[in-house]
Amino acid sequence: MNSKPDANTGALARTNQEIRQQLESAEALHRRRDSVERPLRYLDRVITDLERLHLRGLTVVPDRFVPTLNGVKPLLPSGVVAPERWRRRIAATIDRCFELQEQLLRVRRSSGLGVAA
């Protein structure tokens, strides 16, 4: 029996390692991108819901909506901080949501993540 390593086996192992590294790198990029895109999408939904409330004639954020506002907090990447307490008026709360989105867009630009596909 021949115990001499086959040259093709070494090349195949290197190729597999390169593929694994590329997959890990792509997955890491996806996680970093998602850490910004998820809260952006969440805030889009929150803003839409607040606008609907405003169109129904409400001017003050209902207490039942506060947990939805606080739902963005665990989604935010480091460096982006939601307010401890949200403003009571819907228009002011929408403005604060836009400010959070601006912070997220700055994080996205500064980290070179670009727009998720």
Side-chain angles (χ1 to χ4, degrees):
M1 208 186 256
N2 187 0
S3 63
K4 186 177 177 183
D6 185 356
N8 290 331
T9 303
L12 183 59
R14 281 191 304 277
T15 301
N16 283 337
Q17 179 63 27
E18 289 172 10
I19 290 170
R20 278 193 295 277
Q21 287 173 344
Q22 289 175 358
L23 287 172
E24 289 169 6
S25 176
E27 186 61 32
L29 175 63
H30 176 73
R31 283 191 303 273
R32 287 192 314 272
R33 198 175 268 156
D34 196 48
S35 74
V36 172
E37 297 301 322
R38 280 183 61 211
L40 278 171
R41 288 189 304 268
Y42 188 90
L43 286 165
D44 279 341
R45 287 191 301 271
V46 167
I47 291 167
T48 299
D49 291 345
L50 288 168
E51 288 172 339
R52 285 186 182 131
L53 292 171
H54 197 257
L55 288 173
R56 289 190 351 214
L58 295 175
T59 57
V60 175
V61 176
D63 290 337
R64 63 179 161 67
F65 197 79
V66 173
T68 301
L69 291 168
N70 288 329
V72 75
K73 291 178 182 182
L75 302 177
L76 296 173
S78 64
V80 179
V81 180
E84 280 298 313
R85 291 181 40 141
W86 291 90
R87 301 208 172 129
R88 296 296 298 159
R89 302 200 50 80
I90 288 176
T93 302
I94 290 173
D95 287 344
R96 186 61 180 120
C97 290
F98 284 137
E99 290 170 11
L100 282 173
Q101 285 185 322
E102 282 298 319
Q103 289 180 49
L104 289 163
L105 292 172
R106 279 194 296 275
V107 167
R108 183 169 69 184
R109 281 191 301 270
S110 69
S111 62
L113 295 174
V115 178

